[in-house]
Amino acid sequence: MGLAMRFHRKIANVERGSAFSDRAERQLFWKTSIASLRHQALSLQAFGLMAWMLSRLLAHPGAVFDPWLTGAGVAGAICGMAMTYTARSIVMTMTGGGL
């Protein structure tokens, strides 16, 4: 079982348990969780994009890269970062992170 699945189950157990007294408290939990995770996710995505671009720049001089795939990779990373930045739900945050 992956780390993400274990985390999801723990959160689901907290949500089902007596941790939340009402629906408004549960919504506040998810809203603050998304807000605090967004900055970490964006930092990680920016680091990954910069590392990938550096690997392309510092590659062996004889290496050949397809310009269309490179463009698609950069566009996907930027779209994922934009989606994560504008996300208002945990599903959109995770979708942007996956992109």
Side-chain angles (χ1 to χ4, degrees):
M1 180 183 325
L3 181 64
M5 191 63 159
R6 282 187 286 191
F7 176 73
H8 184 269
R9 285 192 180 171
K10 282 189 180 194
I11 294 295
N13 287 339
V14 167
E15 194 171 58
R16 269 187 255 125
S18 61
F20 302 111
S21 59
D22 61 357
R23 185 173 187 213
E25 189 175 3
R26 183 181 322 141
Q27 287 176 340
L28 179 63
F29 168 76
W30 283 110
K31 185 176 181 179
T32 56
S33 296
I34 293 166
S36 65
L37 288 176
R38 182 179 301 144
H39 300 294
Q40 294 170 352
L42 282 171
S43 298
L44 186 62
Q45 288 172 327
F47 177 76
L49 179 62
M50 291 300 143
W52 180 73
M53 288 170 53
L54 275 173
S55 72
R56 289 287 175 120
L57 289 173
L58 301 174
H60 190 271
V64 178
F65 298 111
D66 184 11
W68 289 103
L69 290 177
T70 302
V74 170
I78 291 172
C79 287
M81 290 175 69
M83 187 180 288
T84 301
Y85 182 75
T86 59
R88 298 288 178 225
S89 69
I90 193 74
V91 173
M92 290 303 290
T93 301
M94 295 301 152
T95 304
L99 251 176

